[in-house]
Amino acid sequence: MLQLFAIIDAINGVLLSTPVLQALLAIGLLFTAWSRFCQYRSLTHGVALCAGRGIDTSQGPGALTHFQALTAAMSGTVGLGAIAGMAIAVDFGGPSAIFWMWVVGIVGMALKTTEVTLSLLFRDVADPENPHGGTMYVAREELQQLNPALRPFGKIVGG
């Protein structure tokens, strides 16, 4: 059991290192600029889509409503681990942890928007009633189409 804990500590030492966190923050800032601050521009549109205001809510092509798509995306993003993680961060980091959670959360919105956009662009709609897509699908299928040399990498990342 001690060996397992040592392995987990070694993995955490790499994944939670300062360069990795700085790279994630830099990529999030890059996507924020690239998307022209999607966090701000899309917020009111997203609320209107979920509330059904100002949009055509008639049945159209697709298997999910806007609200179903939102709740499916949120269920994979926000969970007990995220809620408990925030409590632990405040306990260890003090009040300044709240500021950094806001910064990382805002930058993370641009990362999530880019992830969802890629998932929508590269989804398989051969069967319109049962579309296939998502982040793992994009990693598995589209990386190998982008470059055949990336096929093993896509299989590892995409599961």
Side-chain angles (χ1 to χ4, degrees):
M1 193 57 111
L2 291 175
Q3 290 176 338
L4 176 65
F5 289 147
I7 291 170
I8 292 172
D9 283 341
I11 292 171
N12 280 340
V14 172
L15 292 179
L16 298 176
S17 65
T18 302
V20 171
L21 296 176
Q22 288 173 345
L24 282 173
L25 187 62
I27 292 169
L29 290 172
L30 175 72
F31 285 156
T32 296
W34 172 71
S35 66
R36 296 183 320 250
F37 295 89
C38 65
Q39 304 94 319
Y40 176 73
R41 290 184 310 104
S42 301
L43 186 61
T44 55
H45 179 66
V47 171
L49 281 177
C50 292
R53 292 189 314 259
I55 59 168
D56 181 20
T57 58
S58 64
Q59 288 295 85
L64 298 174
T65 66
H66 298 296
F67 184 72
Q68 289 171 331
L70 173 72
T71 55
M74 291 295 287
S75 70
T77 305
V78 179
L80 182 60
I83 295 168
M86 290 186 187
I88 292 169
V90 170
D91 184 44
F92 282 121
S96 64
I98 295 172
F99 168 76
W100 286 108
M101 283 189 282
W102 274 95
V103 170
V104 171
I106 289 170
V107 169
M109 285 185 225
L111 291 171
K112 186 67 174 179
T113 301
T114 305
E115 172 189 341
V116 170
T117 302
L118 287 173
S119 297
L120 287 172
L121 288 174
F122 293 108
R123 65 185 168 181
D124 179 14
V125 290
D127 180 12
E129 295 298 318
N130 189 19
H132 291 76
T135 307
M136 297 303 134
Y137 180 83
V138 170
R140 187 178 63 244
E141 301 296 327
E142 297 300 325
L143 276 178
Q144 68 187 5
Q145 289 181 11
L146 181 66
N147 184 350
L150 293 175
R151 183 182 193 122
F153 181 69
K155 285 187 176 185
I156 291 169
V157 172

